[in-house]
């Protein structure tokens, strides 16, 4: 009796009217992912689920775990941590720490974010590791990432140093960046710091490598990465007006290419897409059939005002349909989610929003049930044996 019902909306949302398709961004990155955080709309996906060497971009996972420890009281910003010989042994981008140091957690975090300190990552890792080692922390990073939905991420160390099996996908990095922004707004401003001169011992390493900071395009994070194996990459975020995007690019061949590609992606994402109103909360946009209720149909309305991201050069039109498993059995409560609105902007992935009942629908009485049973029986007789199977 119950079946998936799809209703195409023609008038309310001006569906099936031709809109101009958005021009895809032609990136030179090995892998790329761009998402609009307001709507969850994926704007660009190029091999985004392929696990690749993430280089220093994987430091974001170490930072996320450190922020969790601060939130839970297992670390505090003024606490001073010792530096092991293992931490001191790392080359590449460092804070030039040594075993005589005891470093404040806040300085270590800024050293990771602004200076990309490999040694600082290991100091944090050894402090939070289940067994006190960087390897143990890397295993925990992998477990935590899997629980967060980053299914294409595995870690061999805390800082992205080239190692077999140390991999992340660009989609996973975008998810991680989103979680950092949303879960830890109190620490996110650290990512927009452009300079950190840690006690003057490394004057050649004081500047943030993010090429977008200071360009006045809304960029405020997050992390660059580079190794010969990974190429040049960036996990970035920018906010203009009420919109925020997160993007990840990986595998470019120079710092210049990374800078140019990143700026172009931000400009494209904000200029080629706009947020348009679709329907206001409480507005009935369709009706659903009711089973065994005191009325035959119930209105479907958004629980909150709806907006959708659409190509800026198109019209206000969008193809839409309502999907639900129906008829919906009574009783139904006002505000109960009973359907989904599927929007299909031209050239973009479809998006889905919940629709709720606009009123209470009590179960029908004896006469209603008798009538429904009779109609059902007649319908089955008309279908014959095959239709009733």
């Amino acid at each position: 009796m119950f079946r998936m019902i799809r209703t195409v909306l023609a008038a309310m949302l001006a569906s099936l009217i031709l809109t101009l398709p958005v021009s895809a961004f032609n990136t030179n990155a090995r892998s790329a992912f761009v998402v609009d955080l307001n709507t969850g709309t994926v704007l660009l996906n190029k091999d985004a689920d392929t696990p690749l060497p993430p280089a220093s971009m994987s430091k974001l996972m170490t930072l996320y775990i450190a922020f969790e420890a601060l939130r839970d009281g297992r670390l505090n910003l003024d606490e001073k941590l010792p530096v092991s010989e293992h931490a001191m042994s790392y080359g590449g981008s460092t804070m030039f720490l040594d075993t005589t140091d005891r470093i404040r957690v806040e300085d270590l975090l800024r050293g990771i974010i602004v200076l990309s300190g490999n040694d600082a990552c290991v100091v944090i890792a050894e402090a939070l590791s289940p067994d006190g080692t960087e390897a143990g922390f890397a295993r925990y990073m992998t477990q935590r990432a899997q629980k967060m939905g980053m299914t294409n991420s595995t870690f061999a160390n805390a800082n992205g140093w080239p190692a077999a099996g140390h991999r992340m996908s660009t989609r996973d990095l975008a998810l991680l960046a989103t979680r950092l922004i949303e879960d830890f707004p109190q620490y996110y401003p650290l990512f927009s710091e452009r300079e950190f001169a840690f006690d003057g011992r490394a004057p050649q390493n004081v500047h943030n490598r993010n090429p977008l900071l200071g360009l006045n395009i809304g960029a405020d994070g997050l992390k660059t990465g580079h190794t010969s194996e990974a190429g040049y990459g960036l996990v970035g975020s920018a906010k203009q007006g009420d919109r925020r995007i997160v993007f990840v690019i990986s595998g470019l061949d120079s710092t210049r290419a990374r800078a140019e590609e990143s700026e172009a992606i931000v400009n494209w994402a904000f200029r080629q897409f706009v947020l348009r109103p679709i329907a206001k909360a409480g507005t009935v946009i369709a009706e659903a059939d009711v089973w065994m209720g005191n009325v035959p149909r119930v209105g479907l309305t958004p629980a909150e005002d709806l907006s959708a991201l659409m190509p800026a050069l198109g019209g206000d039109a969008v193809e839409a349909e309502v999907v639900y498993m129906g008829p919906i059995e009574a009783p139904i409560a006002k505000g109960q989610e009973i359907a989904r609105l599927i929007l299909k902007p031209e050239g973009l992935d479809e998006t889905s929003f919940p629709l709720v009942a606009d009123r209470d629908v009590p179960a029908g009485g004896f006469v209603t049930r008798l009538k429904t049973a009779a109609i059902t029986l007649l319908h089955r007789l008309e279908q014959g044996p095959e239709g009733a199977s």
Side-chain angles (χ1 to χ4, degrees):
M1 178 63 191
F2 297 96
R3 64 193 188 281
M4 186 66 72
I5 297 176
R6 295 179 178 269
T7 302
V8 175
L9 304 182
M12 178 65 66
L13 301 179
S15 75
L16 302 180
I17 299 175
L18 182 65
T19 62
L20 296 176
V22 66
S23 297
F25 187 87
N26 185 21
T27 180
N28 292 317
R30 165 69 180 84
S31 176
F33 189 76
V34 184
V35 61
D36 177 87
L37 290 198
N38 298 70
T39 62
T41 304
V42 175
L43 306 181
L44 176 65
N45 178 341
K46 179 180 179 181
D47 293 332
D49 295 309
T50 302
L52 297 169
S56 287
M57 296 185 291
S58 63
K59 289 182 171 80
L60 293 176
M61 191 66 203
T62 296
L63 289 165
Y64 188 90
I65 293 173
F67 292 158
E68 286 188 318
L70 288 167
R71 180 194 63 197
D72 299 342
R74 292 178 288 117
L75 277 182
N76 68 73
L77 291 175
D78 290 326
E79 182 178 358
K80 293 184 177 181
L81 301 179
V83 179
S84 69
E85 289 188 7
H86 175 60
M88 187 182 71
S89 70
Y90 270 101
S93 178
T94 74
M95 292 177 67
F96 295 92
L97 304 178
D98 64 53
T99 55
T100 65
D101 289 319
R102 296 188 71 88
I103 311 297
R104 293 174 64 246
V105 168
E106 183 176 357
D107 288 338
L108 290 167
L109 296 176
R110 295 174 71 191
I112 296 170
I113 293 169
V114 182
L115 311 181
S116 199
N118 291 323
D119 47 2
C121 282
V122 179
V123 173
I124 291 286
E126 291 175 341
L128 296 177
S129 172
D131 63 4
T133 69
E134 184 188 14
F137 184 78
R139 289 190 291 272
Y140 177 73
M141 290 171 72
T142 301
Q143 295 167 4
R144 187 70 186 93
Q146 295 290 318
K147 289 182 179 179
M148 293 169 65
M150 291 183 278
T151 56
N152 290 307
S153 295
T154 54
F155 301 92
N157 54 59
N159 51 29
W161 195 262
H166 193 92
R167 298 289 185 267
M168 296 186 77
S169 68
T170 51
R171 187 194 298 270
D172 282 358
L173 282 162
L175 171 59
L176 178 56
T178 301
R179 291 290 300 268
L180 284 163
I181 293 167
E182 295 179 348
D183 295 353
F184 299 106
Q186 69 272 43
Y187 301 125
Y188 185 65
L190 293 172
F191 289 97
S192 62
E193 288 192 354
R194 299 173 63 184
E195 184 174 315
F196 176 48
F198 173 67
D199 81 359
R201 72 175 67 182
Q204 71 272 34
N205 186 28
V206 297
H207 298 292
N208 195 318
R209 294 164 175 78
N210 188 335
L212 300 186
L213 299 180
L215 295 185
N216 296 319
I217 58 175
D220 53 13
L222 295 156
K223 189 75 189 70
T224 60
H226 169 253
T227 64
S228 58
E229 179 188 25
Y232 292 84
L234 174 66
V235 180
S237 184
K239 184 178 182 182
Q240 294 185 13
D242 293 330
R243 283 185 58 202
R244 176 178 286 280
I245 65 163
V246 164
F247 69 94
V248 185
I249 52 176
S250 179
L252 290 159
D253 59 8
S254 68
T255 55
R256 179 176 178 177
R258 176 173 64 190
E260 292 177 350
E261 197 85 346
S262 299
E263 184 176 4
I265 282 175
V266 171
N267 290 330
W268 170 78
F270 284 114
R271 291 173 182 168
Q272 296 302 317
F273 302 92
V274 293
L275 199 61
R276 299 191 190 279
I278 296 297
K280 289 189 173 294
T283 302
V284 175
I285 62 175
E287 291 186 324
D289 296 330
V290 174
W291 171 259
M292 291 288 191
N294 68 343
V295 293
R297 286 176 296 277
V298 63
L300 300 174
T301 177
E304 56 186 23
D305 293 350
L306 298 185
S307 298
L309 205 65
M310 290 189 282
L313 300 181
D316 293 332
V318 58
E319 182 180 345
E321 65 178 358
V322 171
V323 179
Y324 64 95
M325 186 66 69
I328 300 169
E329 186 172 6
I332 302 169
K334 181 179 179 179
Q336 177 183 337
E337 182 180 334
I338 54 177
R340 304 290 297 184
L341 174 64
I342 311 297
L343 301 181
K344 303 176 181 179
E346 185 74 18
L348 294 174
D349 291 345
E350 66 180 36
T351 54
S352 173
F353 303 92
L355 295 177
V356 301
D358 72 330
R359 61 187 183 277
D360 291 329
V361 180
F366 174 75
V367 174
T368 298
R369 294 177 178 275
L370 185 63
K371 181 179 178 181
T372 302
I375 292 173
T376 302
L377 179 60
L378 180 61
H379 180 68
R380 288 179 176 175
L381 289 173
E382 288 175 346
Q383 285 184 319
E386 291 185 2
S389 62

